[in-house]
């Protein structure tokens, strides 16, 4: 220690009498306070970053330096200040370090917020362009919720971009809603038309099956007809009506009108029919001077076929049959004329549906001539449909007169406006074609000046497109050359590839790239492309054939793997099944190309089999966990009994130790295993202590028996004679002192000198290697053996025996 102190102060000169300590230069206290006041006043003014940085480093007080450091905001100044204050001013350094950290956090937060703003704008713009209409409004609401916390941080331009995108989204939502509403209306009108047709069919079916003693009133039938006509007109207003559906309605309504007309004629002729039937019943006269005969009445009524005839009409028919009137003269050409008129009316209907006014007029005129050629009886069946078509023709004429011309003038104006616009040629040509199609759909125009105006505007609008389509023709030729090159390269690849050692992934990629490049080389001239397309298809087939063969092989390999995996589901032992499943997974990865759809099916089957295998492992783990929980519960219950045991019966202790050993063979958790280990250690310690106490009691008994002279040599342990030989001649006092030294027990005052002497001797023996070896209990047993076997009896007494017994007691306390 002295050497260390001398070394520490070595070289330090001791001040001599001639050396005078140098006093540090001091600053006048008033001047220093004035400087502090000036710096504090400066902090109250607007200082530059450089001035604040200077004050933070050279301020006269810690408060000034801290205040100046807190006011510095420039990142560069803060970094310089942190660098200069390091190791000089800890408080300033910590303040600057904290401010730099806050600035970095703020910059990072700002950057993240900026990225979130840009992401929200991008998502809104993509949503505005998205063709996926499913959950469109829900995704729009989500975008608005994401934007709400970002809105305050967005710039004016960013807010404008986002709101523009949202406006487009809302416009699309509005369009979707309008489209859905229109579709709903169309669906409702379609259902209304179906109900109308169903009601007409049901009504006509009832009329055909009704009893002959019941005839519906003409007023009810007429009301039904008008109701259904209005219902149909309302259901077809601004609606898409299929041609077959319209024809079905017209046929049903025509049948209903025919029946209603027959009922009306029947009711009109009812007085004549009753008079004729009454006269026939009252007399047997064959007078023919009636106003009308039964045959003439039947011809006037013209009851439609297939419908139930009233009973009165049936009687009239019987009366007509009794009289057997001669059939009315019929022109041999009437049947042919009826058939021709039906065809003309059908052609007129189709022409009206296609809005062809000129053709409709011609068919209508021809139908009029054919209808006049028929007699009244045969013409009656066509009157209703002819009148319906006549009304439709008048409707078409009104529409052509009042609607077509303004629309054609509007089309001329649109085409003239289009001619003055600068647009993409493709879009402009498409718009020109749309306007021309609309003109054709209007049926043309009889006004030649209007037609010349539209044609001139069309030619003027198409003029800029000619150059584009001329250049497009060159593009088509270039694309044709590209496709020709693709065919040549593909043919060379097919010819040079060794299909027995092909890189199938590369082949598959070439096949895909060739198809993509072929599609990209578009547009092309159809006629010139036809032979190239045929060649390309043949070359693709030449590549696909070996590809499909390889895919078939690989799919067969994967199917075999699936079968083997499924066989492992119930395989035992489970560990072997899992190892084999892992090997199958590696084998699966090594297999080459397959068809995507087939591969997905095989993979799902393979995955299911593997999941079933590893599900067994999970089940085993769960079972083990359950067993562990059960064993832990049993151990916890047993520990509540063992922890309360301190000494107790030795047999009880040994039984509990055995129970703990049995539970220790069950799967326990790590925590409970540690508790089991600790408790076993505690119980074994108690057991060892109990055994030691019994041994000590035996030793004490032998010690006292030696003093009393009642020692029986045969009762002593067999090895004590040998143990007694390990010590030299010792007196009883020396032996007791040695026992007290071993057990750290105090010796009486009169024996302190002897104890010191024995301790020195023991130290010397230890250094020389002649000290007695063995643990404490072994050394004490040797001393007790010496006491009982060799120690001189004349040196023993009761006090020494008690001191030795007390020393032995101390090792078990």
């Amino acid at each position: 220690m002295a050497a260390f102190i001398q070394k520490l102060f070595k070289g330090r000169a001791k001040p001599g009498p001639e050396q005078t300590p140098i006093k540090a230069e001091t600053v006048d206290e008033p001047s220093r306070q004035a400087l502090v006041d000036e710096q504090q006043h400066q902090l109250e003014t607007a200082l530059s970053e450089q001035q604040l940085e200077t004050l933070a480093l050279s301020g006269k007080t810690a408060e000034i330096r801290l205040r100046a450091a807190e006011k510095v905001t420039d990142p560069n100044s803060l970094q310089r200040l942190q660098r200069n204050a390091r190791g000089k001013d800890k408080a300033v350094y910590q303040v600057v370090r904290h401010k730099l950290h806050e600035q970095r956090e703020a910059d990072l937060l700002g950057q993240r917020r900026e990225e979130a703003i840009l992401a929200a704008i991008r998502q809104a713009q993509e949503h505005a362009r998205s063709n996926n209409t499913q959950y469109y409004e829900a995704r729009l609401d989500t975008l608005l919720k994401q934007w709400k916390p970002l809105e305050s941080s967005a710039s004016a331009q960013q807010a404008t971009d986002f709101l523009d995108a949202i406006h487009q989204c809302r416009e699309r939502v509005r369009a979707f809603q309008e489209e859905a509403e229109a579709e709903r209306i169309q669906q409702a009108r379609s259902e209304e038309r179906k109900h109308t047709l169903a009601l007409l069919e049901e009504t006509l079916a009832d009329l055909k099956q009704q009893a002959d003693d019941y005839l519906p009133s003409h007023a009810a039938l007429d009301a039904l007809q008008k109701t259904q006509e209005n219902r149909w007109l309302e259901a077809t207003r601004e609606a898409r009506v299929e041609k077959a559906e319209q024809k079905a309605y017209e046929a049903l309504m025509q049948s209903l009108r025919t029946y209603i007309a027959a009922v009306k004629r029947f009711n009109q002729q009812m007085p004549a029919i009753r008079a004729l039937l009454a006269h026939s019943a009252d007399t047997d006269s064959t007078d023919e001077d009636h106003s009308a005969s039964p045959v003439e009445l039947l011809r006037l009524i013209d009851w439609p076929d297939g419908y139930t005839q009233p009973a009165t009409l049936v009687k009239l028919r019987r009366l007509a049959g009794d009289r057997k009137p001669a059939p009315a003269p019929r022109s041999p050409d009437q049947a042919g004329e009826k058939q021709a008129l039906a065809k003309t009316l059908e052609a007129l209907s189709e022409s009206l549906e296609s809005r062809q006014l000129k053709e409709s007029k011609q068919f209508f005129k021809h139908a009029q001539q054919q209808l006049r050629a028929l007699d009244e009886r045969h013409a009656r069946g066509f009157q209703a449909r002819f009148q319906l078509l006549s009304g439709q023709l008048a409707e078409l004429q009104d529409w052509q007169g009042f609607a077509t011309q303004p629309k054609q003038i509007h089309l001329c104006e649109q085409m003239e406006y289009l001619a003055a616009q600068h647009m993409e040629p493709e879009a402009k040509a498409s718009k020109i074609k749309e306007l021309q199609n609309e003109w054709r759909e209007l049926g043309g125009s009889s006004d030649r000046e209007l037609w010349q105006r539209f044609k001139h505007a069309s030619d003027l609008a198409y003029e800029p497109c000619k150059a584009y389509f001329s250049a497009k023709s060159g593009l088509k030729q270039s694309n044709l050359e590209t496709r020709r090159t693709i065919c040549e390269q593909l043919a060379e690849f097919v010819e040079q590839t060794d299909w027995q050692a092909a890189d199938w992934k590369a082949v598959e990629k070439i096949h895909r790239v060739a198809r993509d490049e072929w599609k990209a080389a578009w547009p092309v001239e159809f006629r010139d492309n036809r032979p190239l397309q045929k060649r390309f298809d043949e070359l693709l087939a030449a590549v696909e054939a070996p590809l499909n063969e390889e895919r078939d092989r690989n799919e067969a390999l994967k199917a075999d793997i699936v079968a083997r995996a499924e066989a492992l589901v119930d395989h035992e032992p489970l560990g072997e099944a899992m190892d084999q499943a892992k090997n199958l997974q590696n084998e699966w990865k090594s297999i080459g190309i397959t068809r995507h759809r087939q591969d997905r099916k095989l993979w799902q089957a393979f995955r299911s089999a593997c999941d079933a295998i590893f599900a067994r492992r999970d089940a085993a783990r769960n079972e083990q966990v359950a067993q562990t929980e059960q064993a832990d519960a049993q151990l916890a219950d047993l520990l509540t009994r063992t922890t309360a045991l301190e000494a107790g019966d030795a047999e009880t202790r040994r039984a509990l130790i055995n129970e703990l050993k049995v539970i220790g063979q069950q799967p326990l958790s790590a925590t409970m295993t540690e508790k089991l280990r600790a408790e076993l250690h505690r119980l074994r310690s108690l057991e060892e202590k109990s055994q030691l106490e019994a041994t000590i009691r035996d030793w004490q008994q032998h010690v006292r028996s030696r003093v009393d002279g009642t020692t029986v040599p045969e009762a002593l342990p067999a090895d004590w004679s040998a143990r007694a030989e390990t010590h030299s001649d010792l007196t009883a006092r020396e032996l007791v002192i040695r026992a007290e030294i071993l057990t750290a027990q105090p010796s009486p005052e009169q024996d302190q000198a002897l104890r010191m002497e024995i301790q020195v001797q023991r130290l010397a023996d230890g250094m020389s290697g002649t000290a007695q070896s063995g643990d404490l209990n072994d050394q004490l047993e040797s001393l007790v053996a010496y006491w009982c076997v060799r120690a001189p009896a004349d040196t023993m007494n009761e006090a020494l025996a008690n001191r030795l017994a007390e020393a032995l007691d101390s090792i078990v306390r």
Side-chain angles (χ1 to χ4, degrees), residues 110-131:
Q111 183 181 356
R112 289 176 180 171
R113 187 172 293 274
E114 182 68 17
E115 291 174 355
I117 291 171
L118 295 177
I121 294 172
R122 183 178 66 255
Q123 291 172 3
Q125 292 172 344
E126 291 175 354
H127 192 56
R129 297 190 299 266
S130 174
N131 294 323

Side-chain angles (χ1 to χ4, degrees), residues 127 132-143 173 176:
H127 192 56
N132 183 9
T133 59
Q134 189 176 16
Y135 307 121
Y136 195 89
E137 292 184 62
R139 293 199 299 272
L140 179 58
D141 292 340
T142 302
L143 286 174
V173 168
F176 294 154

Side-chain angles (χ1 to χ4, degrees), residues 232-454:
W232 184 264
L233 288 173
E234 184 64 26
T236 56
R237 183 169 56 86
E238 297 180 359
R240 300 183 298 272
V241 184
E242 296 292 336
K243 184 176 180 181
E245 191 177 24
Q246 181 68 28
K247 284 187 176 181
Y249 166 75
E250 291 175 358
L252 292 170
M253 186 56 70
Q254 180 61 35
S255 298
L256 181 61
R257 291 193 188 105
T258 301
Y259 183 83
I260 294 173
V263 170
K264 182 179 180 181
R265 293 192 298 271
F266 176 76
N267 291 333
Q268 290 173 350
Q269 300 298 329
M270 195 64 189
I273 294 173
R274 287 174 178 168
L276 186 61
L277 292 176
H279 178 77
S280 175
D282 293 340
T283 67
D284 295 332
S285 173
T286 58
D287 187 10
E288 301 292 339
D289 295 334
H290 300 296
S291 59
S293 66
V295 175
E296 291 173 346
L297 288 175
L298 290 173
R299 185 180 298 115
L300 288 173
I301 294 172
D302 191 18
W303 192 264
D305 295 336
Y307 294 92
T308 302
Q309 299 180 9
T312 305
L313 188 61
V314 172
K315 293 178 181 179
L316 183 62
R317 285 190 181 278
R318 289 175 183 171
L319 183 61
D322 292 343
R323 295 191 176 191
K324 298 180 181 178
R330 179 179 298 179
S331 172
D333 296 327
Q334 290 290 299
E337 290 176 358
K338 285 176 65 177
Q339 187 176 4
L341 177 58
K343 291 182 179 179
T344 303
L345 291 177
E346 184 66 25
L348 175 59
S349 176
E350 293 178 358
S351 177
L352 288 171
E353 286 182 3
S354 59
R355 301 289 184 178
Q356 300 297 324
L357 180 60
K358 186 176 181 181
E359 293 180 3
S360 299
K361 287 180 179 179
Q362 293 175 353
F363 285 127
F364 182 77
K365 185 177 181 181
H366 188 47
Q368 278 182 322
Q369 295 172 354
Q370 290 176 328
L371 190 63
R372 291 194 193 102
L374 294 175
D375 57 31
E376 182 181 355
R377 178 173 176 275
H378 289 88
R380 191 179 298 123
F382 295 97
Q383 286 292 343
R385 189 177 185 193
F386 183 77
Q387 290 175 2
L388 175 65
L389 295 175
S390 175
Q392 291 179 359
L393 178 61
E395 228 178 84
L396 180 61
Q397 286 176 329
D398 292 342
W399 184 83
Q400 287 282 358
F402 295 103
T404 305
Q405 189 171 10
K407 290 185 178 180
Q408 289 175 338
I409 293 173
H410 182 63
L411 288 176
C412 290
E413 293 172 350
Q414 283 185 298
M415 189 65 79
E416 289 167 350
Y417 175 78
L418 184 63
Q421 298 302 309
H422 296 285
M423 297 174 59
E424 290 291 333
E426 290 277 1
K428 196 169 190 177
S430 176
K431 187 63 178 177
I432 292 171
K433 189 173 182 180
E434 288 179 10
L435 295 177
Q436 289 174 340
N437 289 335
E438 289 184 30
W439 181 275
R440 292 191 190 95
E441 289 174 1
L442 292 177
S445 175
S446 58
D447 189 341
R448 189 162 186 82
E449 291 184 3
L450 192 60
W451 161 244
Q452 289 295 337
R453 177 185 174 186
F454 181 77

